[in-house]
Amino acid sequence: MSDISKTVEEKCSEKFQAEHCTCVDQSDGCGTKLELTVISEQFQGTPLLARHRKINSVIKENGLMDRIHALTIHAWTPAQWKSKS
């Protein structure tokens, strides 16, 4: 796990009191590419786009956005996550 993926994972896990949070560095030499999964009750009743905006805000607030080339976000409630398993 890269430093940036670890930091993104820690910040999002803390901010959203995540039941599950992982950030996988999928970089291939063309900039930092991350795949972030956040499972939180805080997303209940929140549209998907708003969830992504909240996550992007956390990343920006911590000065990390300029270091990320591409970010894939999976932001689900625990019930949604269970239905995908």
Side-chain angles (χ1 to χ4, degrees):
M1 177 181 289
S2 67
D3 288 342
I4 190 163
S5 64
K6 182 178 178 183
T7 302
V8 168
E9 185 176 306
E10 289 171 354
K11 297 297 182 183
C12 287
S13 183
E14 179 183 315
K15 175 70 175 183
F16 299 107
Q17 299 173 343
E19 178 177 305
H20 175 82
C21 186
T22 58
C23 187
V24 178
D25 189 338
Q26 299 181 325
S27 301
D28 58 5
C30 185
T32 303
K33 295 179 184 176
L34 304 177
E35 181 174 6
L36 176 65
T37 302
V38 182
I39 312 304
S40 174
E41 282 291 343
Q42 291 184 22
F43 296 141
Q44 188 66 41
T46 304
L48 184 60
L49 184 56
R51 296 174 191 186
H52 285 222
R53 286 180 177 149
K54 287 180 179 189
I55 289 170
N56 279 322
S57 291
V58 170
I59 294 169
K60 286 177 188 173
E61 287 168 8
N62 287 281
L64 301 170
M65 194 56 81
D66 291 342
R67 297 175 51 197
I68 299 171
H69 175 73
L71 177 63
T72 301
I73 299 173
H74 306 288
W76 300 317
T77 65
Q80 289 171 323
W81 188 41
K82 287 177 186 169
S83 74
K84 294 179 186 303
S85 298

